[in-house]
Amino acid sequence: MEHLKNLDEIVGTVCREMQAHLGHGRVADYIPALAKIDPRHFGIAIAIQPEREAEEVAIFAAGDAEVPFSVQSISKVFTLTMALEKLGGALWKRVGKEPSGSPFNSIVQLENERGIPRNPLINAGALVVTDALLAGGDPAQLIAGILDFIRGLAHDPAVTIDPEVATSEGDTGFRNASLANFLRAFGNIENNIQDVLEVYFHQCALRMNCRQLARAGLYLAHGGVDPGSAARVTSVQRTRRINALMMTCGHYDASGDFAFRVGLSGKSGVGGGILAIAPRRASIAVWSPGLNAWGNSHVGVLALEKLSSLAGWSVF
Ligand code: GLU
């Protein structure tokens, strides 16, 4: 139990040390509903896999770990998991596995690469993933299915979708609409574009707190099995691959910097959240809404850098 006491101290230390940095960075204002969030929030939660089967998942949290926020692009990890379960390896015919080195909503690369997005964690790739999940179905049903999947992983029916954020994105999402149209021109979107965008905006508008998010990501630290229910979410091999993509592509064009500083796989969102995975140990969620120049949480990255050094967690 010594290491558990230690984690309690570590989240406390990280939270205390981050206070001096709060307020740096800019909240994402291109989605009006996100522009009004106070950048001075900070929350952290670590969900650890139990050492023995009968033990419960333990969660260590500090700061604003109970305050819900918009998970935005972190949702891409969960829809990718769903799409791989549905389509298997066929998905890789439609989307690549390479870091983009470009901003999350970049359009130029798509032209050169003839409508095959670099990876599933940038917007273009995530739109293709959503299209693959939709496959002629009803958008409302798919939105409900995504919500259900994440509630199940978080073991919490209180996870919701924020309709105001979804509408706000719909009203201003001209760039995502352009990406979807461009993909469609190359034949890499098969459903009605409005339907794909509706699902995409709703998945990005998922509202979770750090505790729920850390708990939901635990299967990625645990070989694809949710340790709470022992249910297999995805295979060991897919879990490794999702983690590899998070490591190489999870922080837009600052993915190398994140790997260098933190040494864990991770996915950020413009709501200021980051989900990070320490394989065979823990799933970690941090949240602080002020973003750095690459659209990643300024304090979130600092906090994970501190945490990985204090806990000695790195995949290298
Ligand atoms: N919904 C946001 C967008 O598509 C997600 C961006 C992000 O978190 O990277 O612009």
Side-chain angles (χ1 to χ4, degrees):
M1 285 289 126
E2 188 49 33
H3 72 289
L4 297 189
K5 192 174 132 262
N6 201 11
L7 281 181
D8 232 356
E9 276 166 22
I10 288 177
V11 288
T13 306
V14 172
C15 188
R16 261 193 319 280
E17 289 198 8
M18 290 308 119
Q19 301 305 310
H21 301 281
L22 297 184
H24 295 154
R26 286 190 55 195
V27 296
D29 50 10
Y30 75 101
I31 301 171
L34 297 183
K36 43 186 195 199
I37 314 282
D38 179 357
R40 302 185 60 82
H41 284 291
F42 175 75
I44 180 167
I46 302 179
I48 63 155
Q49 70 175 71
E51 290 198 340
R52 278 173 281 283
E53 244 165 54
E55 283 174 15
E56 301 240 318
V57 168
I59 299 189
F60 301 86
D64 296 327
E66 318 270 343
V67 180
F69 61 92
S70 192
V71 306
Q72 292 294 317
S73 277
I74 302 170
S75 66
K76 292 170 184 168
V77 172
F78 300 112
T79 48
L80 173 63
T81 305
M82 289 174 79
L84 285 172
E85 287 308 290
K86 185 180 162 121
L87 272 91
L91 183 69
W92 305 119
K93 294 200 174 82
R94 297 180 57 184
V95 59
K97 309 161 196 124
E98 292 297 336
S100 69
S102 305
F104 63 98
N105 55 6
S106 169
I107 216 162
V108 283
Q109 221 160 36
L110 262 189
E111 165 118 64
N112 294 334
E113 297 180 3
R114 310 207 52 79
I116 305 294
R118 274 283 171 107
N119 68 68
L121 300 181
I122 51 172
N123 286 14
L127 287 162
V128 169
V129 167
T130 300
D131 183 67
L133 282 173
L134 190 53
D138 173 35
Q141 229 170 19
L142 177 55
I143 293 168
I146 294 170
L147 182 58
D148 240 33
F149 179 63
I150 294 173
R151 281 178 172 166
L153 292 174
H155 292 255
D156 194 342
V159 173
T160 51
I161 288 176
D162 186 333
E164 192 198 336
V165 174
T167 307
S168 183
E169 278 213 62
D171 291 344
T172 55
F174 304 112
R175 229 183 143 90
N176 284 317
S178 311
L179 285 169
N181 277 287
F182 211 52
L183 287 160
R184 174 89 197 222
F186 284 106
N188 203 6
I189 289 278
E190 291 165 1
N191 296 274
N192 177 295
I193 285 173
Q194 279 320 317
D195 289 352
V196 175
L197 288 172
E198 186 185 338
V199 178
Y200 175 76
F201 293 144
H202 279 82
Q203 76 181 55
C204 287
L206 272 157
R207 200 173 141 76
M208 298 172 82
N209 62 34
C210 288
R211 275 179 181 275
Q212 292 163 333
L213 184 58
R215 181 65 188 83
L218 201 50
Y219 73 100
L220 291 167
H222 200 54
V225 171
D226 173 2
S229 59
R232 179 159 288 287
V233 181
T234 189
S235 67
V236 172
Q237 189 193 47
R238 283 187 191 140
T239 307
R240 289 188 177 142
R241 291 178 167 177
I242 294 166
N243 273 288
L245 287 165
M246 289 168 75
M247 173 70 89
T248 52
C249 315
H251 283 76
Y252 320 117
D253 45 341
S255 299
D257 183 65
F258 184 82
F260 183 89
R261 288 167 62 189
V262 179
L264 300 174
S265 56
K267 179 74 201 93
S268 70
V270 295
I274 302 176
L275 172 66
I277 304 298
R280 291 170 294 283
R281 291 185 188 275
S283 163
I284 308 139
V286 292
W287 171 55
S288 189
L291 307 180
N292 61 24
W294 297 272
N296 299 310
S297 171
H298 172 72
V299 178
V301 178
L302 275 177
L304 286 168
E305 194 175 2
K306 185 77 202 175
L307 171 72
S308 64
S309 108
L310 288 176
W313 290 343
S314 167
V315 300
F316 301 109

